[in-house]
Amino acid sequence: MLKKYRAKFPLLLLTFLFISTPLLAADGVAIDTGVTAWMLVSTALVLLMIPGLAMFYGGLVRTKNVLGTMMHSFAAMGIMTVLWVAIGYCMSFGPNVLGGWFGWNPDYLFLSGIDNSILDAGVPEYVFSMFQGKFAIITPALIAGAFAERVKFKSYCLFIALWGLLVYNPLCHWVWAEDGFLFNMGANGAIDFAGGTVVHISAGVSGLIAALYLGARRGYPVTNMPPSNLVMTMIGGGLLWVGWFGFNAGSSVASGLSTAQALTATQVAAASGAIAWMIIEAWHQGKATALGIMSGILAGLVAITPAAGVVQPFGAFCLGILASIFCYLAIIAKNKLGYDDSLDAFGIHGMGGIVGALLLTFFIRDSWMNEAAELAGGSWTVWQQLGVQVSAVLIAVVYAAVLTLILLYVVNKLVGFRSDPKEEMQGLDSAYHSEHGYGMLNPN
């Protein structure tokens, strides 16, 4: 037996040396295969969130609009990917141009200049660009929840293309590019670990502006508009929870302590958000609902997104609870005010993002504050960081609101945005896609 393994020892040794030796790119930078593997998985997890979102939204609309609503998410997968590769990555992560409005690097056009590029983290830049591209997909897809069941498909496609170029890309550059002004604001930058400002606040605020501009669905709020399939919504929400580990933990662009911290915070916030919403709903309405628990999960996940890299589990626990409270109140306020944010894009994503981006300040771990104090020359307080966070949130809110309003006006003038009354009554599935999600003769 020993002779058998002794004969194979040289081969085993060579195999071990091969897999443990860092791979080198053409420019000599070492590839960290462990980090690269995790980033590949994270990229796939974030992509999984888009079909998850399609299912989540699709289950909440009426049966005659299921396919049309899900198409909003899948169309974004195609449109935003092409735009991201062509010009989005260039605008988001290139060096400042036009006073820092966005970035620009001709080498990034169609990713032509990163064929052999390895980042300092040991990850091929292709992987990083594809990971970031998934954020560019899901952000405009989130907006669609605010005006579900009442917009033309071609208008939606044109809108998200323009919105991605003029709203998402500049915000991404400001917050995550090394020369972005929000990245460098204060002692250690405005904190947005994985997209509270770039993704959720921008999408939520833009959705609110769109809902107000386009007006309510025909019959809202008098006509009963029941969800078509809450089972599908719960499955979609589950996929979003799973995908969020890639969303947050992948944003560490590492496979180590910071990754574990972000992953743990994500799980804790989602769980505490779910429990808080169940308790609030049971106290307020007498029952805890399936849609309620899914709303609580998403509220917790949204709130922890900007904070995942800087708070400990207790902070994540508190943020999940606070997010459910504020998001629940936001939805009550919507019902009182009477505007039609169909699937609560602002109520969950906008409000949850604002809560997370601001209140994370009171739970930042000591090591981050110590680093900020050192960079500031000796002192940096919670209140100073709160000022930075408030400034970043206000800038994101105002910029997204103003640009969205302009784009809505332009698209409406060019091709019309709101569905015709006949098309809305007929349903998006039949009117724009000549299909039916459930094969029913008289879908509601």
Side-chain angles (χ1 to χ4, degrees):
M1 181 67 71
L2 289 175
K3 288 182 179 180
K4 176 182 176 182
Y5 285 104
R6 191 180 297 120
K8 293 183 177 180
F9 180 75
L11 179 60
L12 294 172
L13 179 61
L14 287 172
T15 302
F16 172 78
L17 290 174
F18 175 77
I19 63 175
S20 62
T21 301
L23 301 176
L24 297 178
D27 57 5
V29 179
I31 298 176
D32 189 319
T33 54
V35 176
T36 299
W38 166 242
M39 292 305 299
L40 289 168
V41 171
S42 295
T43 302
L45 286 172
V46 181
L47 182 63
L48 179 67
M49 293 174 72
I50 290 94
L53 179 67
M55 295 182 72
F56 186 86
Y57 278 175
L60 290 176
V61 298
R62 290 168 287 177
T63 55
K64 64 183 180 181
N65 297 317
V66 173
L67 292 181
T69 299
M70 296 182 76
M71 279 285 284
H72 288 161
S73 294
F74 282 94
M77 292 174 73
I79 294 167
M80 301 312 296
T81 296
V82 171
L83 285 175
W84 182 257
V85 171
I87 195 172
Y89 187 67
C90 172
M91 292 179 65
S92 299
F93 291 97
N96 280 341
V97 295
L98 297 180
W101 181 23
F102 54 86
W104 190 260
N105 182 348
D107 289 341
Y108 289 168
L109 293 173
F110 279 97
L111 309 181
S112 59
I114 66 171
D115 203 43
N116 297 305
S117 175
I118 307 299
L119 302 179
D120 291 340
V123 177
E125 195 166 357
Y126 273 140
V127 177
F128 177 75
S129 67
M130 287 295 97
F131 175 72
Q132 288 292 338
K134 304 305 175 284
F135 290 66
I137 295 171
I138 199 169
T139 308
L142 290 171
I143 300 173
F147 48 63
E149 301 193 292
R150 60 188 187 276
V151 298
K152 298 178 179 179
F153 182 67
K154 64 180 180 182
S155 305
Y156 165 79
C157 292
L158 176 59
F159 171 75
I160 65 169
L162 295 173
W163 191 92
L165 292 173
L166 298 175
V167 180
Y168 180 84
N169 292 344
L171 279 173
C172 181
H173 180 75
W174 299 348
V175 175
W176 288 331
E178 291 185 356
D179 56 352
F181 78 94
L182 293 180
F183 184 88
N184 293 289
M185 181 179 284
N188 202 14
I191 300 172
D192 186 2
F193 187 76
T197 305
V198 178
V199 176
H200 297 291
I201 293 177
S202 68
V205 169
S206 297
L208 176 61
I209 297 299
L212 294 173
Y213 181 86
L214 294 169
R217 289 166 288 180
R218 285 175 55 83
Y220 180 89
V222 177
T223 303
N224 185 33
M225 300 180 181
S228 62
N229 192 336
L230 282 177
V231 173
M232 186 165 73
T233 292
M234 295 189 76
I235 295 172
L239 291 175
L240 286 169
W241 191 340
V242 172
W244 227 292
F245 290 120
F247 202 87
N248 286 356
S251 293
S252 66
V253 195
S255 183
L257 179 59
S258 61
T259 315
Q261 291 169 340
L263 185 144
T264 302
T266 301
Q267 177 69 13
V268 172
S272 65
I275 294 171
W277 199 291
M278 284 193 294
I279 293 172
I280 294 167
E281 197 173 43
W283 171 76
H284 184 241
Q285 299 185 19
K287 294 180 180 179
T289 65
L291 180 57
I293 190 172
M294 299 315 300
S295 299
I297 289 168
L298 288 186
L301 288 169
V302 169
I304 200 60
T305 295
V310 298
V311 302
Q312 293 179 314
F314 178 72
F317 172 78
C318 293
L319 286 175
I321 293 173
L322 291 167
S324 281
I325 293 172
F326 280 97
C327 291
Y328 192 89
L329 292 174
I331 293 172
I332 290 177
K334 178 200 79 169
N335 295 331
K336 293 286 186 182
L337 294 171
Y339 68 87
D340 188 12
D341 176 1
S342 307
L343 309 181
D344 295 315
F346 177 77
I348 298 295
H349 296 278
M351 182 57 67
I354 291 170
V355 168
L358 297 180
L359 298 187
L360 67 82
T361 313
F362 302 101
F363 303 103
I364 300 173
R365 57 169 48 92
D366 292 339
S367 59
W368 192 96
M369 290 300 294
N370 292 336
E371 181 183 349
E374 184 177 344
L375 291 170
S379 175
W380 189 254
T381 67
V382 167
W383 301 108
Q384 287 174 301
Q385 186 61 38
L386 179 61
V388 172
Q389 296 302 119
V390 170
S391 297
V393 168
L394 287 176
I395 289 168
V397 167
V398 172
Y399 183 78
V402 172
L403 266 291
T404 298
L405 185 59
I406 294 171
L407 292 176
L408 287 167
Y409 178 81
V410 170
V411 172
N412 194 42
K413 287 296 182 182
L414 288 176
V415 293
F417 210 131
R418 178 72 188 250
S419 298
D420 297 330
K422 182 179 178 181
E423 294 172 336
E424 190 175 339
M425 185 68 70
Q426 180 183 357
L428 307 184
D429 297 1
S430 175
Y432 301 135
H433 309 292
S434 298
E435 297 171 305
H436 297 285
Y438 294 105
M440 298 171 122
L441 293 177
N442 296 298
N444 63 18

